Amino acid sequence: MTAPVLEITNLHKSFGKVEVLKGINLTMQSGDVVSLIGSSGSGKTTLLRCVNLLEDYEDGVVAVAGEQIGYTQRNGRRIRLKEKEIARQRAMTGMVFQHFNLFPHMSAIRNVMLGLIKTRKMRNDEAYATAEGWLDRVGMKDRKNHYPGQLSGGQQQRVAIARAIAMNPALMLFDEVTSALDPELISEVLAVVKDLAFDGMTMLLVTHEMQFAHDVSDTVVFMQDGRIGEEGPPDQLFHSPKSERLKAFLKSSKF
Amino acid sequence: MDILQTFEAIWAARWPILDGFGNTILISVVSILLGTPLGVVVGLILSYGNTALRFAVRLYSDFLRGTPVFVLILACFYILSVVGIQLSALQAGIFSLTLFCSSHVGEIVQGALKAIPKGQTEAAKSVGLTFFGTFFSVLLPQALRMILPTWVTTATEIVKASTLLSVIGVVELLLATQQVISRTYLSLELYFFAGFVFFLINFAIEKAGRFVERKVSLPT
């Protein structure tokens, strides 16, 4: 049996004295789409950021494809890996950010090519072809030479998705990818994400788009106060929530 | 003021003046070319160095910026020879201006790095870039665009500060002019001339800076 794509065991994380993750367990197999929902401050985004070590975590294990991210055990002590090792591990996952975070001094295609050349060590022409292919897939091929400043938010986010997925990651992380977009631009981005999901990409999403989470996910995880409050198939979670907290949350998010 | 007489005096002394002019250019260019990369390193350490390193470089930068360039030049010329490092006046002068340049560039680089949104570093990390990959591919190109206008000002400061090397006997444009004045007594005219040449140098630097700024500005 192959290792799960993502296996989180008893994950703990604090910011100073505030404990934001209080023992999270989550397993994802290849092709799984899992959505994290919950009110702000519940730890969704922090959980996502621990998976590629944009946040360090204090206790527990985050493993991608069977490999612990960020730390190793030596003589019973927990040691942080070297920066170079961590950089390699980060490339096992692709991340799309709320605020796109495209590199403003590079054209769309250069944005996608950077990781391919620097991390995947592709030749320039090979990286160009790969990047162009993914930009085509997200409907941005005709704007490949545009700079981020020349693109709308929705277009920038589609380029950012291409940048992440061109790296051929085992797992894609989406952090509220439509929260910074104007309402009329949300659907074009969601369509791209949906397309990738139906294509079998393993994805972990943080989202406030409840209908989208319902349509696209295999499992929905409701987080509250740094713990997993409830999890299950979308129909069960959205239509017959067990806890009062989830009922109140769904009501307030107008699902 | 006899214009004709002034031009005659300048023409007669054209070679020593050109020599001085050449030295001014040489001193400024070398100091800026050495001081800028050194300043980038200073900015890098101020931004990302560990506590001890950052403290040492902080001290270095504050000390250099808090000291008059004049004192710095005298110190480089006299103190270094006491500790056994023999530099010519020209070398000591370039050395002092390089340090001066590095501390100023260091500060503006640190400021620029601070102004780049954290998401840029995170995005670079998320595609597997190492610290240096992130710095050279993502942060530095953005920081350099930001510092360009301030950096141009620093470059003109260096040109102006190069006149101070005359006190340790470096025959740059100002000292060369003074030597001509001591023969011709045309002090007002020739100081005016020298001042005008310095203005032209800095004017050219400003214009070149604007040109580069336009060249590297990002389309919106």
Side-chain angles (χ1 to χ4, degrees):
Chain A
M1 192 186 125
T2 54
V5 173
L6 176 67
E7 188 166 29
I8 299 174
T9 321
N10 191 30
L11 176 64
H12 286 264
K13 159 79 188 169
S14 304
F15 289 113
K17 282 184 179 157
V18 185
E19 193 175 26
V20 287
L21 297 177
K22 304 168 183 170
I24 303 283
N25 294 290
L26 185 69
T27 304
M28 289 175 69
Q29 303 295 340
S30 181
D32 281 358
V33 177
V34 175
S35 293
L36 303 171
I37 61 170
S39 44
S40 22
S42 60
K44 318 179 291 287
T45 291
T46 306
L47 171 57
L48 199 71
R49 289 164 60 86
C50 284
V51 174
N52 69 351
L53 217 72
L54 288 182
E55 302 289 352
D56 290 351
Y57 54 92
E58 284 94 43
D59 200 10
V61 173
V62 175
V64 174
E67 186 177 337
Q68 184 179 358
I69 298 297
Y71 302 91
T72 184
Q73 259 63 238
R74 201 173 297 153
N75 304 328
R77 294 219 340 257
R78 186 169 176 268
I79 302 166
R80 199 174 195 273
L81 293 173
K82 293 211 159 56
E83 204 54 39
K84 210 176 166 185
E85 271 298 291
I86 292 174
R88 182 186 61 77
Q89 290 186 332
R90 283 195 177 114
M92 295 164 71
T93 56
M95 187 165 199
V96 185
F97 300 86
Q98 182 177 354
H99 296 288
F100 333 134
N101 298 350
L102 289 182
F103 308 126
H105 58 296
M106 297 179 189
S107 62
I109 194 155
R110 287 275 151 200
N111 263 278
V112 183
M113 288 168 68
L114 182 67
L116 299 178
I117 291 172
K118 297 281 175 195
T119 309
R120 294 283 182 249
K121 309 291 178 199
M122 281 189 191
R123 289 194 321 272
N124 208 58
D125 52 340
E126 197 184 348
Y128 192 94
T130 307
E132 198 175 37
W134 279 108
L135 285 176
D136 194 20
R137 178 77 185 268
V138 300
M140 289 298 296
K141 189 181 168 186
D142 55 333
R143 307 259 160 131
K144 64 183 176 191
N145 292 322
H146 284 53
Y147 281 76
Q150 299 170 299
L151 300 173
S152 75
Q155 291 170 335
Q156 289 189 52
Q157 195 60 298
R158 285 188 280 150
V159 174
I161 292 170
R163 173 176 70 180
I165 201 162
M167 299 286 292
N168 193 22
L171 169 70
M172 282 285 285
L173 308 168
F174 292 87
D175 185 13
E176 299 186 29
V177 294
T178 57
S179 298
L181 294 173
D182 292 336
E184 73 268 24
L185 301 176
I186 290 176
S187 59
E188 67 182 61
V189 171
L190 292 186
V192 168
V193 179
K194 219 177 237 178
D195 176 48
L196 295 173
F198 292 146
D199 214 36
M201 189 74 219
T202 315
M203 315 201 301
L204 181 59
L205 311 110
V206 172
T207 186
H208 293 294
E209 300 284 331
M210 293 305 146
Q211 187 61 51
F212 174 72
H214 176 272
D215 296 347
V216 82
S217 317
D218 303 302
T219 305
V220 176
V221 174
F222 172 65
M223 289 191 63
Q224 60 181 63
D225 307 326
R227 291 195 175 84
I228 292 180
E230 213 170 317
E231 65 177 301
D235 274 329
Q236 178 195 319
L237 230 81
F238 286 118
H239 298 302
S240 43
K242 292 192 193 86
S243 69
E244 288 306 314
R245 287 284 291 273
L246 179 53
K247 276 177 199 164
F249 173 75
L250 290 175
K251 201 170 174 189
S252 69
S253 33
K254 298 186 187 79
F255 180 76
Chain B
M1 188 196 299
D2 187 337
I3 302 270
L4 205 63
Q5 192 194 356
T6 310
F7 278 126
E8 266 170 16
I10 292 170
W11 181 249
R14 62 189 181 279
W15 296 119
I17 288 178
L18 264 179
D19 249 7
F21 177 78
N23 268 340
T24 291
I25 299 294
L26 174 79
I27 293 159
S28 309
V29 168
V30 174
S31 304
I32 294 164
L33 286 186
L34 294 178
T36 300
L38 188 60
V40 170
V41 175
V42 168
L44 186 61
I45 293 173
L46 286 177
S47 303
Y48 305 109
N50 64 32
T51 315
L53 206 55
R54 217 167 53 224
F55 179 76
V57 173
R58 178 85 268 158
L59 215 63
Y60 164 90
S61 177
D62 283 352
F63 180 75
L64 288 180
R65 286 181 314 129
T67 315
V69 196
F70 191 64
V71 175
L72 193 61
I73 291 166
L74 293 175
C76 287
F77 187 53
Y78 292 111
I79 295 177
L80 286 181
S81 69
V82 172
V83 297
I85 303 170
Q86 291 297 336
L87 294 182
S88 71
L90 183 70
Q91 289 165 336
I94 289 175
F95 182 63
S96 58
L97 291 184
T98 299
L99 295 183
F100 175 70
C101 181
S102 74
S103 65
H104 280 261
V105 171
E107 292 300 322
I108 55 181
V109 166
Q110 188 204 8
L113 288 175
K114 206 181 267 176
I116 297 173
K118 226 175 82 211
Q120 290 292 309
T121 308
E122 293 183 351
K125 283 178 172 175
S126 78
V127 290
L129 263 59
T130 56
F131 175 78
F132 283 103
T134 302
F135 183 71
F136 285 109
S137 297
V138 174
L139 300 179
L140 191 61
Q142 295 186 55
L144 289 181
R145 280 183 177 82
M146 275 193 249
I147 72 163
L148 193 57
T150 326
W151 182 76
V152 167
T153 310
T154 304
T156 60
E157 289 297 329
I158 299 283
V159 172
K160 288 187 271 179
S162 73
T163 56
L164 295 171
L165 298 200
S166 57
V167 293
I168 54 172
V170 176
V171 188
E172 41 65 69
L173 180 57
L174 185 66
L175 189 53
T177 309
Q178 280 172 335
Q179 288 169 348
V180 178
I181 291 171
S182 64
R183 287 200 302 273
T184 60
Y185 302 105
L186 294 167
S187 55
L188 184 66
E189 295 86 341
L190 287 176
Y191 276 129
F192 185 79
F193 168 77
F196 185 66
V197 173
F198 277 110
F199 165 74
L200 284 184
I201 294 173
N202 281 343
F203 188 71
I205 291 176
E206 294 273 2
K207 281 289 164 205
R210 289 278 154 71
F211 176 75
V212 175
E213 238 174 279
R214 272 201 304 276
K215 275 274 162 204
V216 301
S217 77
L218 297 169
T220 48

